[in-house]
Amino acid sequence: MAAEHPEASKQLSVIAENVGSHLPEVGRDIGEFVIAEIPELRGDATVIKILQASVAENVATLLHIFENDIPLDKIEGPAAALEYARRLAQRGIPLNAMVRAYRIGHWRFLQWCLDELNRQGADEDVSTATNRRMLEVSFGYIDRVTEHVIVVYRQERDHWLLSQTAARAARVRDILTEKDIDLNWAEPALGYRLRQNHLGLVAWLPTLTGGGEGLARLHRITDEIAQKLGCPARPLFVPRDAILSWAWVPLGSHSAVSWKQVSNVVEHSDPSLHVCAGGVGYGIEGFRSTHQQALRTQELAEAASPAPQFTNFSHVAPIALMATNIDDMRAWVWGVLGPLAVDDENSARLRETAQIFLDTGCSYTATGSAQILHKNTVQYRIRKAEEIMGHPVQKGHTDLEVALRAVQYLGSTLLRTSPE
């Protein structure tokens, strides 16, 4: 990169002084330009007023940096900019709208500065160097401030969700625990229709992440699932703490759910995020039952090693209902599988083949097709599994089917490190 021209900082200082002499007009122009370009920022007089204050402070701060050659590491986000981020978070205005406002506002600000640079009539070398300096400093400033206001937005969004939903969470607890509920009272209080089909969700993060953004991420994945399922209304989202949420997804009259679609949404999101779903239930009893199933499934998922990203109750119902005591379940699995309940690659291959063999009605051909194995290899593995366990792999062996399914889901949580 070429060395900075010695006159660049001086020329930029002159530009800042001249643009600053029109500060009210510049701030108003940038604010109006941003609002015209971003529809989500319109319609709320208070938000627009704070936007104008934020723009004015950002412009004044950046011009001050230009004029006095202030290092960017000495700069904090203007107070109005931070307050604007909080207001947008409280009103549920998307974060990307705020970030886009900074990009668009930056571009409009540069137009004012470039016009002033042209009016100065400096020689080409000085003009080019000043332009480069202007871009370097302004982009650095916008990058720094944007990072700061994003953190403030996310923290405020989580705080707002918690405070706004405290009363709603109390009503939800009443509905989950009390038998006699007046639906004509409960539905308006929740802002959610109970006389429909529901899908209960529990979503969580393993640990509190930096930036205080946990609840926003949980809220986002809940909305994405509802959108993918084509829900007729917004989900009922109830934070439990900073990294755990309960939710009910409204399905209206529909009772069928594509688990593949839900799984895809979760698995293409943040890999640290986990979601469990109950079965579909109708009315207030369904509201309760789908939630209880999601909680049972969560208990199972947290016991698994490694924990899956997404689990639905229907896939693990027998295991979830059995797994109230993991130690007892582990002992039972060992009793059914014997030495096949060892955490090594060979045992894992044999267990997988035995499970598919049972799932396909004990068909060697279908098992071979599913695993891309020769029929003789399948026969060998089944015989080997039977020798290790000391009993046959055959139709109707419900204990074996459940034990294999439990190990498939809970993994090393249920396995031994050695045969004895």
Side-chain angles (χ1 to χ4, degrees), residues 22-341:
H22 304 283
L23 185 59
E25 182 185 354
V26 175
R28 185 169 54 254
D29 173 70
I30 294 173
E32 291 173 353
F33 185 74
V34 167
I35 291 169
E37 292 292 317
I38 306 176
E40 297 95 326
L41 302 182
R42 304 173 199 158
D44 188 321
T46 301
V47 170
I48 292 174
K49 184 177 179 180
I50 299 174
L51 167 64
Q52 291 287 3
S54 174
V55 169
E57 283 196 19
N58 274 303
V59 169
T61 301
L62 193 44
L63 290 175
H64 188 55
I65 293 170
F66 283 175
E67 190 169 357
N68 299 285
D69 199 19
I70 300 172
L72 291 178
D73 59 7
K74 305 294 185 183
I75 301 298
E76 298 295 335
L82 304 184
E83 181 59 25
Y84 184 61
R86 294 187 189 99
R87 294 299 181 99
L88 293 186
Q90 292 167 8
R91 284 157 172 76
I93 295 172
L95 176 59
N96 66 339
M98 181 182 73
V99 174
R100 186 163 176 250
Y102 273 89
R103 292 199 301 266
I104 291 173
H106 181 207
W107 163 239
R108 193 68 169 184
F109 169 79
L110 286 175
Q111 288 181 305
W112 279 87
C113 294
L114 290 170
D115 288 346
E116 181 59 33
L117 175 61
N118 288 335
R119 278 192 290 270
Q120 294 299 312
D123 67 55
E124 186 176 349
D125 287 345
V126 173
S127 181
T128 299
T130 303
N131 191 0
R132 183 182 294 115
R133 176 67 178 163
M134 181 194 307
L135 294 176
E136 177 188 4
V137 173
S138 64
F139 272 98
Y141 173 82
I142 292 297
D143 182 59
R144 183 178 177 85
V145 172
T146 302
E147 284 188 0
H148 198 174
V149 295
I150 286 173
V151 170
V152 170
Y153 175 99
R154 286 172 169 164
Q155 289 175 337
E156 183 64 22
R157 185 65 181 151
D158 278 359
H159 174 75
W160 187 254
L161 286 171
L162 281 170
S163 61
Q164 284 295 98
T165 56
R168 185 187 300 163
R171 297 185 188 109
V172 167
R173 287 194 296 272
D174 291 341
I175 291 171
L176 293 174
T177 56
E178 295 181 16
K179 291 186 177 180
D180 298 322
I181 296 292
D182 181 357
L183 294 181
N184 293 325
W185 163 83
E187 289 184 334
L190 290 177
Y192 179 87
R193 190 159 61 89
L194 292 168
R195 285 165 278 204
Q196 63 174 323
N197 286 313
H198 320 277
L199 176 65
L201 301 177
V202 176
W204 73 98
L205 293 161
T207 58
L208 187 61
T209 55
E213 60 189 52
L215 281 180
R217 290 159 65 188
L218 298 177
H219 200 288
R220 187 161 55 248
I221 194 66
T222 301
D223 285 343
E224 288 173 1
I225 290 171
Q227 183 179 11
K228 177 60 71 174
L229 294 178
C231 292
R234 296 193 66 179
L236 174 61
F237 180 81
V238 181
R240 297 293 292 160
D241 57 36
I243 56 173
L244 171 67
S245 66
W246 295 349
W248 286 261
V249 175
L251 300 177
S253 61
H254 298 290
S255 58
V257 169
S258 169
W259 297 120
K260 182 64 175 174
Q261 286 186 327
V262 179
S263 178
N264 285 342
V265 170
V266 177
E267 291 172 3
H268 286 84
S269 66
D270 184 337
S272 66
L273 192 148
H274 301 273
V275 177
C276 287
V280 176
Y282 179 80
I284 194 165
E285 289 304 323
F287 183 90
R288 293 167 177 153
S289 65
T290 188
H291 174 65
Q292 289 301 323
Q293 290 165 359
L295 290 179
R296 276 288 182 89
T297 308
Q298 182 204 9
E299 291 173 4
L300 191 67
E302 291 186 319
S305 179
Q309 266 203 276
F310 174 72
T311 312
N312 72 81
F313 179 75
S314 62
H315 184 67
V316 297
I319 307 164
L321 294 172
M322 291 169 58
T324 53
N325 187 312
I326 292 294
D327 290 337
D328 287 349
M329 189 174 188
R330 185 183 299 112
W332 178 80
V333 167
W334 289 4
V336 174
L337 297 183
L340 196 62

